[in-house]
């Protein structure tokens, strides 16, 4: 027994649709239908249009900070497609617009959110997803809690929780994966590895060759996929979701993609990105290969491309108009959503809009009435 | 009526609420098989099963973080943090997440959970087992904070906390766990969160305190000359603060002493002192006095009694304030 | 003398101290190549090398935890936490570890480090980028807490903080980063930690504030009738609080208004209000007034100006207090 | 390329001295000399005696809570022996008395520490170790910081940071291993897997078969060893330490042992331990096999055993006497070690021993002198 093997494991890598649009037919079998791919590609166009429009809104001062999702479309949509809409539960971080929209989030909500309005995070009851998260990594545990509740209630729902490569360094994502595994909770951890965490590259974030291999730390399956390949992303998530649904616990899926944009509109990636990297990544843009694939199958052409973009532009213009029409938030809401029932002092703060005590409640607290009131 | 100590009263409240509402899950380190390091959850796993009373990994952020998910999904988690000194790793999930679920989602989501935490010094424990962080959480909008001092109050307040639709931190003064018994009804009852209790009426000075310090205050008052009439208020709820009960009293007595275990600076005593000034300025005969822990780290236990307010220190503050 | 903004003044102090003391290491998310998300550490990695200005993993507990080890081992880390909202994951390492190194080891070990943190609201940022947690850390024994409002003070105070042999949290009001310039000497100088600054002398009422609120207070005072004479104190250091400067002033004016961004309850304003009562009771003509953030979550940015104290709210409190 | 392997790895298991005292000579080569083993066994006896005495002190009310180290002796001493004494840096949690004593910590310090006296944590300057840690997991990052400082100053010192199986669930231990790996810091992570974290067994702590495999998440070597085997523990740590010293970064070593005691004196393990488990573990007690080995090599006999115990008893009695002689802590020290220089209010609190304001400083704050002083 002396020097033996305590553990042996490996992490597969999956690519089905290569950058030139060639499909591995045998791996693709039973994954996405032609109609699926077409539909998902239309979603990509819609999202790309949304992304660019939001960028422009920010630049013209109509939106606060905005994090573009450019490049993430396949990684998000492949996962979203693998979920049962309205049944499985999506836990986004802040860069999953494509998945959120796919699951039905009204598109102007995201504009409201980044426009500094909580109502953009008031996810409608029929949309099976949690609010966006700004504090990196915290959402993984909420996802596990959700999955645990599903298990507790014997519902066959599965959670897909997203996070970035940077998030893997947080204690919370570690604790989430550990809990998920211990509880055998029905959850899939979907790590979007876009090569950067703001300005920090992978080799400053981890000493490991892949993020997927972190699954081994938790005794759960892990898989790395080409995150620009909608087939691979879909298949890996579908298998992981079905495995979780069967009661076999979580999987970690790493989707390798690239952030073809600055971190947010407040960032300037030219300060830190090596020359040529962006250009190389642009060639791997998931939209390019998805379109190539569709064209090869004669499912797409320039005409459809043009029409879809036009439709996307119209849709996004509508969405922006819808966002513009939203009445400004009521400043009473600063108070009203702090608790189910407001304590008396908070009611005073709300109704008088100040915190200093004089005049807060003259009779009751035995002070002289405040001068302005006396003048009435 | 049976006389129960704090541990048993809390255990009883947990049991009754779990029977009443099967959405309740208890989770935490050693809460299941072992019944908690203070035995507060003793017998509950046996009674309700491993799926409802869950021994968790050693991971406070995970305890609160998963509880948030459970709560958002419609369950009613009661996480336990083993000692207040280990709230630190859960601080982020409590303050930036649990406390903000309702606000961030404009009430589309809520986060009903009761975080149970033994608190305070005086039990000869190692480092991180004797702190009093209540003002930290009182400063965090979106949280309610409760700290009963007696078994009766604990049962009623815990029941209210569990039924509350917002996150509540329920601090249990561990020094009192087994040192004080009183009659506690078997039947369920609630005590409203946000209501202080006048423990003893008086006319010369008001003492305001909470948690284990209640007993030190009682001792101090006991040792005062008979002619001194002190009103004693047990805050019971840390946030929202029941300033009405306090102000009503101080307007009568004109003098107040606030007693807390926590370090003085930015403790809850500061808030209460400021509130008293704001609400009772024209009635104050003396500046509100604070008897508090020093602005130092809580010492290891050989010196803990030198650190903590006791009857002598409290008595001196009362006398100084009366003589002002 | 060149006019610098807050960002440049801090950058200059960092550069000078790094030149002077090669034990200094800067670490944090995006502080190196990118020069920090606010460019506060711009150019420092280029100048001092990747071993002294270190881009860290996304891990706030790690940033502070490794800094503690560095400091204990004799170096002088200057960790940056990217926004105050991300202090949460580092809370445990700051409060139960960094703050207690000296006490726990009876000074066998020390923990000299300066934790730089942009703080406060008003810049139209997303959630967690606009909070004001200073009282939390003021309540933590073993920490010094500094919050300069102006470039000159920032340079002098940061220099002091870096040279201090105990952990200092250095809050940088991000709303001021690029909105105010003043003359800042190129030469090194220090401003003692623990000394407030009388920004403007006056006789009728004392306003006490810190951080970005200084400018709101100046505006409020500006808008008052000319005959009103207000003394304005910029606290500059949050802990230890310079109560002597405050008390000296309030004893003269008899009235005080404290202005803070943070939620009212258990904020630093409560401490200052209580201290003023304790130190100036017989001189007070009116209860000390607090103009504070509401006891609610900091709203997303569309409503942030409704939340934050501004000249109108501050002016009203001053007038009410004067008329009392 | 489609379905390939992204990562492949394995974790070795090492045992050199089996429970019956049989040595694998080839693996043992170049590890511990006879004299070493004898010396380490003497240390085991000393520690066992210390442990039992401390337990009795607690039971008789002379000590607060005490966590026994029983069973951990080989896991701690093997690691300690692999370090360069006074040069490498020991980061204990709270159950490393054997390692700490081996590195020279005065033995009464531990009694002072658990007796509620900070001076027990005032590690003398010449002892290369950090104070004991109560907050689980926090110390790993301090260890990384130390290692980083050594690297920064180009010193060839290595840190060995200990933590339990339970600690692996904390975010901090995850962040520590991640940082250690990214920085290629000279540190060895030594996980003492004693099967329990208070009442929580391994399968409730992790979904992984071993703790050692967590190394893979960080791209660092990991190894699992029989933690009751002083040879294996020594060899794994020595190799890891030398690897770190060469600049190759950290290793995770999992020493599988057992806590042959309650968690602390405040615990009663009978409440949760399955019947028979303790008894089975007692048969694997590191002292049994180390003694067997020594006896086989004719390096030990009953006489030596008796003498060594007697000496240990005398030593521990001395240590207790020394602890008893320590003057009670000065309550001024509550204040004096808060900062290098105390702020004025803290000086007032210290000198007057109260926090209420009346009488704090009568002249200065313009109040009437306090009544008692007036009476003088
Ligand atoms: C706890 C926390 N720390 C720091 C930040 C600031 N921050 C926002 S995004 C980001 C990088 C995130 O990188 P990654 O997880 O890879 O996601 P990506 O943005 O690349 O999609 C940082 C450091 C934050 N939001 N939360
Ligand atoms: C952060 C934190 N949470 C909880 C505790 C309470 N606690 C003390 S020891 C312990 C179990 C530790 O188990 P392990 O890491 O396996 O070490 P062992 O005691 O078994 O050697 C717990 C939960 C603590 N000290 N710190
Ligand atoms: Mg990323
Ligand atoms: Mg253990």
């Amino acid at each position: 027994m002396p020097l033996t093997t305590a553990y042996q494991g490996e992490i597969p890598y999956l690519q089905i649709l290569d950058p030139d649009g060639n499909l591995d037919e045998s791996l693709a079998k039973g994954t996405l239908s032609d109609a699926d791919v077409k539909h998902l590609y239309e979603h990509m166009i819609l999202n790309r249009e949304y992304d660019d429009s939001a960028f422009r809104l920010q630049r013209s001062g109509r939106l606060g900070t905005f994090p573009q999702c450019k490049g993430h479309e396949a990684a998000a949509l492949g996962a979203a497609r693998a979920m049962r809409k309205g049944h499985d539960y999506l836990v986004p971080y802040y860069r999953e617009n494509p998945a959120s929209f796919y699951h039905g989030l009204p598109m102007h909500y995201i504009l409201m959110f980044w426009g500094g309005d909580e109502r953009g995070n008031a996810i409608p009851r029929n949309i099976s997803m949690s609010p966006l998260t700004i504090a990196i990594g915290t959402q993984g545990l909420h996802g596990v809690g959700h999955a645990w509740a599903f298990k507790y209630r014997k519902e066959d729902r599965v959670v897909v929780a997203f996070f970035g490569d940077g998030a893997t360094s947080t204690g919370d994502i570690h604790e989430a994966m550990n809990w998920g595994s211990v509880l055998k909770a029905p959850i899939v951890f979907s790590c979007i590895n876009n090569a950067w965490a703001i300005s920090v590259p992978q080799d400053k974030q981890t000493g490991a060759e892949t993020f997927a291999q972190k699954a081994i730390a938790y005794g759960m399956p892990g898989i790395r996929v080409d995150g620009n390949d909608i087939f691979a992303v879909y298949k890996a998530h579908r298998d992981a979701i079905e495995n979780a649904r069967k009661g076999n616990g979580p999987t970690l899926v790493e989707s390798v993609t690239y952030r073809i944009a600055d971190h947010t509109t407040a960032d300037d990636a030219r300060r830190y990105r090596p020359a040529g990297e962006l250009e190389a990544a642009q060639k791997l843009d998931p939209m390019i290969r998805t379109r190539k694939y569709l064209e090869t199958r004669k499912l797409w052409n320039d005409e459809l491309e043009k029409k879809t973009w036009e439709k996307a532009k119209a849709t996004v213009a509508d969405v922006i108009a819808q966002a513009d029409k939203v009445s400004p938030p009521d400043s009473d809401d600063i108070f009203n959503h702090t608790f189910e029932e407001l304590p008396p002092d908070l009611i005073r703060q709300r109704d008088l809009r100040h915190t200093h005590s004089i005049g807060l409640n003259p009779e009751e607290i035995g002070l002289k009435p405040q001068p302005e009131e006396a003048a009435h | 009526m049976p006389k129960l100590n704090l541990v048993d009263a809390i255990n009883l409240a947990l049991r009754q609420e779990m029977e009443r509402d099967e959405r309740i899950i208890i989770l935490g380190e050693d809460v299941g098989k072992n019944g908690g390091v203070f035995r507060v959850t003793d017998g509950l796993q046996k009674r309700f099963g491993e799926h409802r009373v869950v021994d968790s990994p050693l991971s406070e952020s995970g305890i609160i973080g998963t509880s948030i998910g459970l709560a958002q999904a419609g369950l009613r988690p009661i996480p336990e943090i083993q000692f207040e000194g280990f709230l630190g790793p859960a601080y982020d999930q409590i303050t930036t997440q649990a406390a903000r679920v309702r606000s961030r989602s404009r009430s589309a989501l809520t986060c009903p959970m009761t975080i149970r935490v033994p608190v305070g010094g005086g039990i000869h424990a190692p480092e991180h087992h004797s702190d009093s962080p209540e003002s930290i959480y009182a400063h965090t909008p979106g949280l309610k904070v409760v700290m009963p001092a007696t078994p009766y109050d604990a049962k009623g307040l815990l029941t209210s906390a569990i039924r509350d639709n917002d996150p509540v931190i329920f601090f249990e003064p561990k020094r009192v766990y087994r040192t004080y018994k009183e009659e506690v009804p078997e039947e369920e009852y609630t005590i409203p969160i946000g209501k202080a209790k006048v423990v003893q009426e008086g006319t010369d000075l008001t003492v305001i305190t909470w948690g284990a310090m209640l007993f030190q205050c009682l001792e101090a008052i006991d040792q005062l000359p008979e002619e001194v009439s002190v009103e004693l208020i047990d805050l019971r709820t840390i946030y929202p603060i029941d300033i009405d009960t306090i102000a009503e009293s101080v307007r009568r007595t004109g003098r107040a002493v606030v007693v807390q275990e926590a370090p003085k600076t930015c403790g809850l005593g500061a808030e209460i002192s400021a509130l008293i000034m704001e609400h009772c300025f024209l009635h104050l005969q003396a500046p509100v006095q604070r008897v508090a822990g020093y602005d130092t780290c809580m010492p290891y236990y050989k010196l803990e009694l030198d650190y903590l307010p006791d009857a002598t220190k409290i008595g001196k503050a009362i006398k100084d304030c009366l003589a002002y």
Side-chain angles (χ1 to χ4, degrees), chain B residues 2-243:
Chain B
K3 284 198 167 200
L4 299 186
N5 65 23
L6 196 62
V7 167
D8 296 329
I10 295 170
N11 184 279
L12 180 58
L14 290 171
R15 205 186 74 207
Q16 289 181 340
E17 288 305 295
M18 287 188 81
E19 260 156 18
R20 189 174 167 274
D21 185 348
E22 65 170 30
R23 295 170 306 169
I24 294 173
I25 291 183
I26 288 180
L27 64 155
E29 296 154 13
D30 308 294
V31 298
K33 197 130 193 189
N34 197 30
V37 295
F38 288 106
R39 308 286 175 254
V40 175
T41 52
D42 200 21
L44 297 178
Q45 189 181 69
K46 217 169 199 170
R47 191 175 188 111
F48 297 103
E50 287 199 32
H51 64 302
R52 293 194 65 192
V53 183
V54 180
D55 279 319
S56 83
L58 207 169
S59 152
E60 284 81 10
S61 192
I63 292 170
I64 303 302
T66 56
S67 292
I68 292 169
L70 288 167
Q72 291 180 340
L75 299 186
R76 314 284 292 196
I78 307 183
E80 172 182 302
I81 299 295
Q82 203 162 72
F83 286 89
E84 77 292 322
F86 310 130
L87 277 166
Y91 175 81
D92 191 50
Q93 284 287 352
I94 296 174
T95 62
T96 76
Q97 303 303 314
R100 299 189 190 202
V101 167
R102 183 185 284 278
S103 170
R104 146 181 322 139
S105 70
R106 297 285 101 147
S107 299
L109 286 175
T110 59
C111 190
M113 64 160 80
T114 302
I115 307 175
R116 290 186 39 253
V117 195
V119 75
I123 64 157
H124 270 209
E127 196 185 3
H128 304 306
H129 293 66
S130 307
D131 290 317
S132 295
E134 66 272 12
S135 75
I136 303 288
Y137 299 97
H139 186 53
T140 303
L143 295 179
K144 293 178 182 169
V145 185
V146 173
M147 197 192 298
T150 68
Y152 179 86
D153 286 350
K155 180 159 185 263
L157 279 162
L158 181 54
T159 304
S160 297
I162 293 171
R163 297 181 188 178
D164 200 284
N165 285 327
D166 288 302
V168 179
I169 303 194
F170 189 83
F171 283 118
E172 303 168 1
K174 58 179 99 86
R175 193 178 182 177
V176 186
Y177 265 154
R178 296 180 184 280
T179 53
Y180 177 76
K181 281 188 173 193
E182 67 182 0
E183 294 193 339
V184 175
E186 174 74 27
E187 315 77 74
E188 61 174 61
Y189 60 95
T190 59
I191 293 173
I193 292 174
K195 290 272 167 266
K197 177 168 75 180
V198 178
V199 175
Q200 176 178 315
E201 297 190 352
T203 53
D204 300 339
L205 182 146
T206 307
V207 171
I208 302 112
T209 194
W210 54 94
M213 283 295 115
L214 176 67
F215 298 93
Q216 268 58 41
C217 291
L218 282 167
E219 197 183 322
I221 294 168
D222 229 43
Q223 293 170 6
L224 290 173
E226 222 175 296
E227 66 277 14
V228 179
S229 166
V230 172
E231 180 140 318
L232 175 60
I233 294 178
D234 175 2
L235 204 55
R236 302 196 298 189
T237 295
I238 305 300
Y239 185 87
I241 300 169
D242 181 4
I243 185 59

Side-chain angles (χ1 to χ4, degrees), chain A residues 63-262:
Chain A
L63 206 59
T65 317
F66 184 80
Q68 292 187 264
C69 305
K70 232 172 176 162
H72 286 214
E73 290 86 352
L77 287 167
R81 176 65 188 81
M83 299 167 68
R84 287 198 208 154
K85 198 168 155 177
H87 183 72
D88 293 335
Y89 193 76
L90 173 74
V91 176
Y93 63 118
Y94 47 76
R95 219 188 281 280
E96 261 79 46
N97 299 346
S100 307
F101 298 156
Y102 191 88
H103 279 273
L105 184 73
M107 292 176 75
H108 66 293
Y109 272 52
I110 295 291
L111 293 180
M112 289 165 71
F113 177 81
W114 293 108
D117 186 338
E118 283 86 349
R119 290 173 300 172
N121 237 347
I123 311 298
R125 212 162 274 280
N126 61 323
I127 311 296
S128 187
M129 68 175 275
S130 63
L132 275 65
T133 305
I134 292 295
I136 304 279
T138 52
Q139 77 281 10
L141 286 161
H142 310 164
V144 173
H146 261 278
W148 184 358
F150 297 156
K151 185 175 173 174
Y152 183 82
R153 288 194 298 246
K154 303 198 167 58
E155 298 168 1
D156 71 341
R157 300 168 68 185
V158 175
V159 174
V160 179
F162 289 91
F163 49 89
D165 45 296
T168 62
S169 296
T170 65
D172 269 10
I173 287 296
H174 160 76
E175 297 191 21
M177 292 202 275
N178 188 49
W179 279 70
S181 171
V182 167
L183 295 167
K184 280 207 175 297
I187 183 167
V188 175
F189 297 105
S190 186
C191 176
I192 307 289
N193 176 4
N194 65 2
W196 293 94
I198 309 187
S199 72
V200 181
Q202 174 168 342
D203 68 336
K204 293 214 157 68
Q205 204 65 251
T206 179
E209 301 88 319
T210 71
F211 290 101
Q213 75 199 59
K214 289 176 182 283
I216 293 171
Y218 311 102
M220 65 168 84
I223 181 169
R224 180 178 239 220
V225 305
D226 182 337
N228 297 323
D229 165 359
I230 188 87
F231 286 88
V233 173
Y234 169 75
K235 181 171 159 50
H237 284 85
R238 187 202 57 190
D239 293 352
I241 288 169
E242 291 319 315
N243 197 44
R245 211 185 302 284
K246 281 192 213 123
N248 297 326
T251 300
L252 171 60
V253 182
E254 173 190 2
S255 300
V256 182
T257 179
Y258 196 84
R259 193 191 78 208
I260 328 185
D262 293 334

Side-chain angles (χ1 to χ4, degrees), chain A residues 12-34 37 74 78 82 223-239 253-256 286 289-290 292-294 296-297:
Chain A
Y13 175 82
L14 182 67
Q15 187 196 58
I16 303 180
L17 179 67
D18 79 9
D20 297 323
N22 303 313
L23 192 76
D24 183 316
E25 300 282 353
S26 79
L27 286 171
K29 198 165 295 162
T31 59
L32 298 170
S33 70
D34 284 349
V37 184
I223 181 169
R224 180 178 239 220
V225 305
D226 182 337
N228 297 323
D229 165 359
I230 188 87
F231 286 88
V233 173
Y234 169 75
K235 181 171 159 50
H237 284 85
R238 187 202 57 190
D239 293 352
V253 182
E254 173 190 2
S255 300
V256 182
R289 79 176 74 170
T290 312
K292 273 190 189 155
Y293 168 77
L294 287 172
T296 318
R297 309 279 281 214

